[in-house]
Amino acid sequence: MTVVIDPAFDPVPSLERSTRVSVSHRPPEGPGATAVFVASEGELPGGASRIGREALAAAGFTGAANQTLLLPGAPLRVLVGTGEKGIETDAQLRDAVAAFARAAREAGSLAVDLTDLLASGDWDAGIAVQAAIEGAVLARYRYDALKGDPSTVALDELMLQIAEEHAEAAEFGVERGLVLARTAALARDLANTPPRHLSAVKFAEVIERLAPEFGLEAKVFDRQALIELGAGGLLGVNAGSVEEPRMIKVSYRPADPDGHLALIGKGIMYDSGGISLKPSNAMHAAMKFDMMGAAAVFSSMTALRELGVATAVTGWLMCTDNMPSGSATKLGDVLTIRGGKTVEVKNTDAEGRLVMADGLVLATEDDSVADRRPDAIVDIATLTGAAMMALGTRTAAMLANNDAVAAQLEAAAEATDENIWRFPLDHRYRDQLKSSTADLSNIGGQYAGVILAALFLGEFVDGTPWGHLDIAGTMQAESDDLWRSAGSTGFGARLLAEFAAAFEKPRVEEADTEAGETAEDSEPC
Ligand code: BES
Ligand code: MN
Ligand code: ZN
């Protein structure tokens, strides 16, 4: 290839940046900007009382949630609206601090006084501090790796003020906030990187380099190794590409692990649709983000050691691009997935489920922890446009064959404010995945696309407690929005880290009972 890419190009610049966080009961010295939280009702706080509601309203500031108004001076004071009731949840605090950090974009150091907030209601100071850090750091995230002249001011320091009694609880929150913000920023970096700058081969190299820094082991499977494994889904999707595929297995093994969790990520480095070529529109142009699932899995794993996670976690990143060419998989071709099930490819743009199928089977076979298969499998994939049609860009679809896994995913999503909504794994639609020439077809009918894709994946989990996240709608933000930044959102990275950190083994009996399925009708077709 005759394309010039700077050999010194760094696909993960966020890891080179850091924000210092200080926590003190004393007012901070010399911040560039200070937040003043203002509810839309009730008494004005000290920083705004002299101005009065009327003058604020005349300037367009009513105190509505996340509204901001700059009051010039040194330090710059930024009024941040907190709505009628003020800040009541950690999600609202994350949002409010993000609004502040964006409004004070020229300030390299920010101060937030959490004393009054923590004195009201029953806050866990650690969780509040964590949310504040995530809000500030992620709001100031930027992707300028390929810009000659970065146009934004870095956030060097965040000064938090809290009462002395909360100091100890806050300490853990500082560490968690910094780790989780870095985790999401890493996922954003990886997904924002253009497809040629981050091919499957390069992604594997980046992971091999980073894994040891975070207490992880990485094993990379090249084309030959995938042939030996019989990973026909990943190889079939890769067939049209001049770039080799890579499967990257990432392992986190704490001493004396308490359970084993497998995470599978869709790593389509670029999804052109293949022979079923996508039209050249904005949706197609977003397909460098089609590896967000794999980016989320790896990024989440970089947090595990620092969060002190006791569960062993194995990540399976299924990476290739999906290209049309003379060697590409054709409509009507039949692929043999790891383990022997055959799939007729009726649409090469339904490629995610093909690469994920190999990963799911390999995960179910993995008895490297306690000689048993994993206690649960969670997969994450930018799988269907239907997920975006159904839930938009703020909520991801979740499906599961196990209520305990579903509930733990919902709890993690609640903690990170990465919304998910459970869809039914309705086995009555499974007939649509029948094929006349193979065990399965890779597409069903026109409707219920989210469910059909999940039912397809469910054929490969062999009854293991399993949850599936379809993040097609949430992978990208069109514009900066509080702690989400335009481009890749990093959705799922914090969620999976929180999920792993709180993971409890589900009871195996619960698996596959969701749609009243019996062993008999779980045979494919
Ligand atoms: N990567 C896409 C899904 C996608 C669409 C992600 C929009 C983000 C935004 C996936 O590989 C795909 O093309 N899915 C097809 C499946 C269909 C052919 C059954 C789709 O959703 O159209
Ligand atoms: Mn596709
Ligand atoms: Zn895709």
Side-chain angles (χ1 to χ4, degrees):
M1 264 168 286
T2 50
V3 177
V4 178
I5 290 179
D6 179 357
F9 171 76
D10 175 11
V12 290
S14 289
L15 293 180
E16 303 299 317
R17 298 191 188 117
S18 62
T19 300
R20 258 188 334 276
V21 175
S22 61
V23 180
S24 168
H25 59 279
R26 291 200 196 85
E29 273 169 43
T34 305
V36 181
F37 294 132
V38 182
S40 59
E41 274 161 31
E43 226 174 282
L44 286 172
S49 54
R50 271 186 298 125
I51 308 170
R53 289 257 176 220
E54 253 172 57
L56 290 178
F61 182 87
T62 60
N66 307 319
Q67 211 179 38
T68 54
L69 182 69
L70 304 187
L71 304 180
L76 173 73
R77 278 176 305 149
V78 180
L79 306 191
V80 181
T82 61
E84 266 171 48
K85 295 184 182 155
I87 296 167
E88 292 183 315
T89 66
D90 46 316
Q92 289 168 352
L93 177 58
R94 190 184 291 105
D95 283 353
V97 175
F100 165 51
R102 283 200 185 282
R105 65 176 62 81
E106 303 295 334
S109 66
L110 301 176
V112 180
D113 183 354
L114 297 173
T115 319
D116 290 347
L117 183 75
L118 293 179
S120 68
D122 48 355
W123 279 90
D124 173 328
I127 287 185
V129 163
Q130 178 186 339
I133 295 169
E134 290 170 356
V137 175
L138 291 177
R140 293 287 280 268
Y141 171 88
R142 63 213 189 272
Y143 185 72
D144 52 18
L146 291 160
K147 279 190 190 280
D149 177 23
S151 53
T152 50
V153 175
L155 178 60
D156 293 322
E157 187 163 17
L158 178 64
M159 305 161 170
L160 299 174
Q161 197 180 338
I162 61 170
E164 219 169 352
E165 52 175 317
H166 293 306
E168 214 183 295
E171 225 170 273
F172 197 42
V174 172
E175 165 111 31
R176 287 179 68 94
L178 283 171
V179 167
L180 288 165
R182 183 198 68 206
T183 294
L186 173 59
R188 288 181 188 179
D189 277 355
L190 291 166
N192 280 328
T193 305
R196 200 188 295 278
H197 284 75
L198 196 71
S199 62
V201 171
K202 287 181 188 157
F203 192 16
E205 286 169 9
V206 172
I207 289 175
E208 277 184 310
R209 172 162 65 82
L210 295 181
E213 288 179 33
F214 297 100
L216 304 170
E217 195 193 310
K219 185 168 176 193
V220 175
F221 297 78
D222 63 8
R223 176 183 281 136
Q224 191 52 42
L226 291 165
I227 292 170
E228 280 157 28
L229 283 176
L234 184 51
L235 289 164
V237 173
N238 178 255
S241 181
V242 294
E243 291 270 359
E244 273 211 26
R246 289 287 185 266
M247 180 175 76
I248 308 139
K249 180 184 176 190
V250 184
S251 304
Y252 169 71
R253 294 288 181 270
D256 208 2
D258 186 10
H260 181 200
L261 177 64
L263 302 175
I264 328 293
K266 170 175 170 181
I268 300 298
M269 310 311 290
Y270 173 66
D271 181 12
S272 73
I275 294 298
S276 313
L277 190 64
K278 288 181 188 292
S280 288
N281 56 22
M283 189 86 91
H284 187 159
M287 286 304 144
K288 69 172 182 180
F289 299 128
D290 210 21
M291 37 62 78
M292 255 287 296
V297 167
F298 175 67
S299 303
S300 73
M301 292 185 70
T302 63
L304 301 177
R305 183 179 62 186
E306 284 157 291
L307 295 180
V309 173
T311 303
V313 180
T314 307
W316 302 85
L317 316 185
M318 312 305 292
C319 304
T320 176
D321 44 15
N322 182 25
M323 297 294 284
S325 83
S327 61
T329 291
K330 305 167 183 74
L331 309 194
D333 271 342
V334 172
L335 305 177
T336 303
I337 305 298
R338 164 82 183 178
K341 277 186 187 152
T342 56
V343 180
E344 179 183 0
V345 178
K346 289 190 189 161
N347 187 324
T348 63
D349 201 10
E351 84 296 341
R353 62 199 75 185
L354 299 171
V355 306
M356 295 297 277
D358 283 325
L360 290 166
V361 172
L362 285 161
T364 63
E365 293 172 351
D366 177 13
D367 61 358
S368 62
V369 178
D371 285 329
R372 298 188 305 131
R373 65 168 66 204
D375 297 298
I377 296 178
V378 171
D379 81 79
I380 179 164
T382 47
L383 206 59
T384 67
M388 192 170 190
M389 294 296 276
L391 293 170
T393 56
R394 287 295 295 266
T395 302
M398 182 264 284
L399 299 94
N401 67 2
N402 181 290
D403 290 345
V405 173
Q408 291 182 48
L409 285 169
E410 280 164 345
E414 174 85 32
T416 60
D417 198 22
E418 294 173 299
N419 299 334
I420 63 173
W421 189 260
R422 189 174 184 183
F423 278 39
L425 196 58
D426 190 336
H427 289 261
R428 290 170 297 187
Y429 295 134
R430 220 196 37 209
D431 279 356
Q432 293 182 32
L433 296 174
K434 281 184 176 169
S435 156
S436 55
T437 53
D439 295 332
L440 285 165
S441 159
N442 78 327
I443 56 167
Q446 204 183 340
Y447 306 117
V450 175
I451 297 171
L452 285 167
L455 285 172
F456 181 93
L457 297 183
E459 294 294 322
F460 299 92
V461 300
D462 197 19
T464 310
W466 159 68
H468 161 63
L469 296 170
D470 189 336
I471 58 167
T474 55
M475 69 182 191
Q476 183 196 15
E478 270 185 17
S479 53
D480 288 339
D481 174 22
L482 302 174
W483 49 270
R484 295 162 201 82
S485 49
S488 166
T489 56
F491 189 102
R494 285 187 301 123
L495 190 161
L496 289 175
E498 295 269 14
F499 174 79
F503 180 68
E504 283 178 30
K505 293 183 209 177
R507 294 212 327 273
V508 179
E509 306 85 80
E510 288 170 22
D512 261 332
T513 55
E514 174 56 25
E517 192 196 43
T518 63
E520 207 174 297
D521 58 34
S522 77
E523 282 310 305
C525 310

